[in-house]
Structures are given as C-alpha cells and as structure tokens.
Amino acid sequence: MKMTVQSPAKLNLFLEINGKRNDGYHLISTVMQSVTLYDDITVTVDKEGHGIELSCNKENIPCDSSNTAYKAAEVFFEHTGLPKAAVSIRIKKRIPSGAGMAGGSTDAAGVLYALNELYETGMTNEELAGLGERIGADVPFCVYGGTMSATGIGSILSPLPDMPDCHIVIVMPDFRISTAEAYNRSDSLGYDFTKSMENMTGAICSERLAQTAAALYNRFEEVAGIDEISEIKEMMLRSGALGALMTGSGSAVFGIFDDRDKASSCEDNLSRKYDEVFIVHPDRAGPQKVVPGGLIGSLLG
C-alpha cells in the first residue's frame, strides 16, 4: 500500500504570549493560516514487515525517532492497536526548516492522514488532531489546515472564515532563531500588557484584506529585536505589501500583497539576496492526497 500527500506550511497572522503556567507551558493566542507551500510525504506500508524507515531529501533533517513524522507513525499504531507493519516514509521538503512555518508538524499531520487512509481506520479530523496533540503543539492545526485561531497552550482550536485571496511573499533569512531562547526573552519582559487578537479575527470575519494586514502582530518578533527582520519587512512594504511580519518564533518573514505584479517584483528583489523566497496563497485545507492530474481528498472535505 502506498500514498503520497502534500502537506501545507503554516503562517502566524497573529501571535501573542499571554503568560506562563506553573508547569512551564506558555499560554498563547494566535491566528494561523495554511499556505500553498508543500512538503510531499510518501508513505508505503508492507504488512508483512516491521519497523519504521524514514528518509528526506534535505541532509539537515533527522531521519530517526526524533522526527515528528516518525513519531506520527508510532502514535498511529499505538492508538489503533493495529499490528505494526513495515512503514517507509519519504519526505520531499520544500518548507524551510527552523522557519516558524510548522514544517515538521505538517509532515506529522501528513503521515497521520496517509495511514488513516491506507488502513481505512475512518478516524475523523478531530480524532487525528487529538493524536497530533501528542506529537507537537502545531500538529492539530496542521491536521485541519485553513484559517483557525488557537488559545490556551495552543490546543484549543476554533475555525475562522477563509482568509481573503491574496499573494504572500515569504523569505527565509540565512539564520535561525531558537524557540526556547525566544520564549526566554519574552518571559524576561513579563506579561503585564498583552494584545488581543480581536482585531485580527474581526478583520478576517469581515473578509477585509487591508484590515487583516494591518492587524498582523507577533510578540516573538517584537522581543527578538533583529535588525535584518526589520530590514526585510521594510523591503516588502516599499514593494507594496499591505503588511509584513515574522512568523512563529522565526525566522521566516512574509508580506501580504493584493497586487500580483508588486508581489512578483518583491520576490525578484529579495531573491537577489536570499536563496529561499516564495510566492504563495492562502490554502483552505490540511494534507491532501496526490493523484495523477491534481490533488484530491482533504481532512476538511
């Protein structure tokens, strides 16, 4: 049995840290958006064999039990009680790693989706998201995809209307930001004053792109204070972006455009300095099955 799925990247349109619990977990409020930049995950099952094998086209990606895609296969078999088979997972990565774009989490969601289909276990998206929560904080969202808000420790998800159609330019700088260090910097500044995500959710519900772009916010970007992030944003805004922001704990930066030519011009300018620059659009689904001639099947379909 074999299946290939495409799993989309994630952007944070809004991300606030509201505090830290006694158990060390942080309380957040965020609005997340799937975009049309995909990793390909091919899952092959041999029921006569045993064990998980994982490979990736990028040398810097671990291919052992620390990989979230590997963990997803383990969690699937633990939950279903099915006999463990020989599972081969092949990942073709396009989503940059260390970008704040949920590249590892969306790979895990893709494995859960593929195994659910291959074994015809009939789990709902809600059940798969529950399994995803055992793997990583962003996996449940990646199972659903689309446009959603999240609160609590990031596990309380609420669907939102689709983000208005637009062109999004993403650039990955040549440096990475430690998520742990980003949280430490935020903790050191305290949480006496935090922003509400109401402006963002209101703009999305009203289907107003300019207001959505105006409501972009990320505490991680604010506390990082990295000049190059600010410089990239300024380049995007000068090129006609309605708004620009770093996503997640970084270090990818994106700009929202309502004009295709301006987005293309921005991409050209940034590509002179950076190797990883993409133009994408909002996506309305999570992992999707690849078939000849296109994509079918999504967890929301």
Side-chain angles (χ1 to χ4, degrees):
M1 301 187 295
K2 183 177 180 179
M3 177 178 293
T4 297
V5 301
Q6 288 191 332
S7 289
K10 172 264 319 177
L11 297 176
N12 294 91
L13 305 180
F14 180 95
L15 200 167
E16 177 61 290
I17 307 168
N18 299 308
K20 186 177 182 181
R21 302 194 319 193
N22 292 333
D23 61 5
Y25 283 97
H26 286 82
L27 300 171
I28 68 169
S29 55
T30 184
V31 175
M32 296 178 283
Q33 176 64 52
S34 296
V35 293
T36 56
L37 177 62
Y38 305 100
D39 283 352
D40 289 351
I41 303 102
T42 300
V43 178
T44 306
V45 174
D46 179 1
K47 292 184 178 180
E48 301 302 319
H50 182 80
I52 300 168
E53 177 192 9
L54 190 147
S55 63
C56 182
N57 64 318
K58 299 292 186 180
E59 294 182 357
N60 62 323
I61 301 299
C63 292
D64 54 23
S65 59
S66 67
N67 190 294
T68 52
Y70 191 109
K71 292 177 182 178
E74 290 185 314
V75 167
F76 175 85
F77 285 109
E78 289 171 5
H79 176 77
T80 60
L82 290 165
K84 290 186 178 179
V87 178
S88 171
I89 303 168
R90 302 281 183 263
I91 300 174
K92 182 177 181 180
K93 288 204 71 68
R94 299 183 183 90
I95 303 169
S97 60
M101 298 174 66
S105 296
T106 199
D107 292 346
V111 170
L112 291 175
Y113 173 83
L115 289 173
N116 186 45
E117 291 290 309
L118 289 170
Y119 277 92
E120 299 181 341
T121 45
M123 281 188 280
T124 64
N125 47 10
E126 183 177 3
E127 290 173 305
L128 291 173
L131 296 186
E133 192 173 344
R134 295 162 55 182
I135 303 165
D138 283 339
V139 181
F141 166 75
C142 291
V143 165
Y144 288 100
T147 313
M148 302 189 86
S149 66
T151 55
I153 61 172
S155 59
I156 304 172
L157 297 171
S158 300
L160 291 168
D162 295 333
M163 182 180 178
D165 289 334
C166 60
H167 312 278
I168 303 172
V169 176
I170 302 172
V171 59
M172 182 63 191
D174 299 326
F175 61 88
R176 304 294 188 266
I177 298 173
S178 163
T179 300
E181 179 59 29
Y183 271 115
N184 288 337
R185 288 178 183 172
S186 182
D187 291 341
S188 68
L189 296 175
Y191 302 104
D192 292 335
F193 302 98
T194 58
K195 289 182 177 289
S196 168
M197 65 178 174
E198 288 184 3
N199 286 343
M200 176 57 73
T201 55
I204 291 175
C205 289
S206 299
E207 299 182 353
R208 297 178 295 181
L209 184 62
Q211 285 82 349
T212 298
L216 294 173
Y217 174 76
N218 184 348
R219 172 170 292 248
F220 282 130
E221 179 195 305
E222 190 173 81
V223 302
I226 298 174
D227 289 341
E228 190 168 351
I229 297 294
S230 299
E231 291 167 4
I232 293 171
K233 290 177 60 179
E234 183 59 32
M235 287 179 64
M236 290 177 166
L237 294 171
R238 286 201 307 268
S239 296
L242 301 176
L245 190 71
M246 184 182 83
T247 183
S249 58
S251 57
V253 181
F254 66 94
I256 297 175
F257 293 79
D258 60 359
D259 184 280
R260 181 177 181 178
D261 291 338
K262 290 179 180 178
S264 296
S265 176
C266 181
E267 180 196 28
D268 289 341
N269 291 334
L270 289 167
S271 295
R272 295 169 189 161
K273 183 174 181 181
Y274 298 102
D275 293 331
E276 293 183 286
V277 184
F278 314 90
I279 294 184
V280 301
H281 304 91
D283 199 352
R284 294 182 172 86
Q288 300 174 76
K289 180 165 52 179
V290 177
V291 296
L295 300 171
I296 64 168
S298 76
L299 291 172
L300 295 181

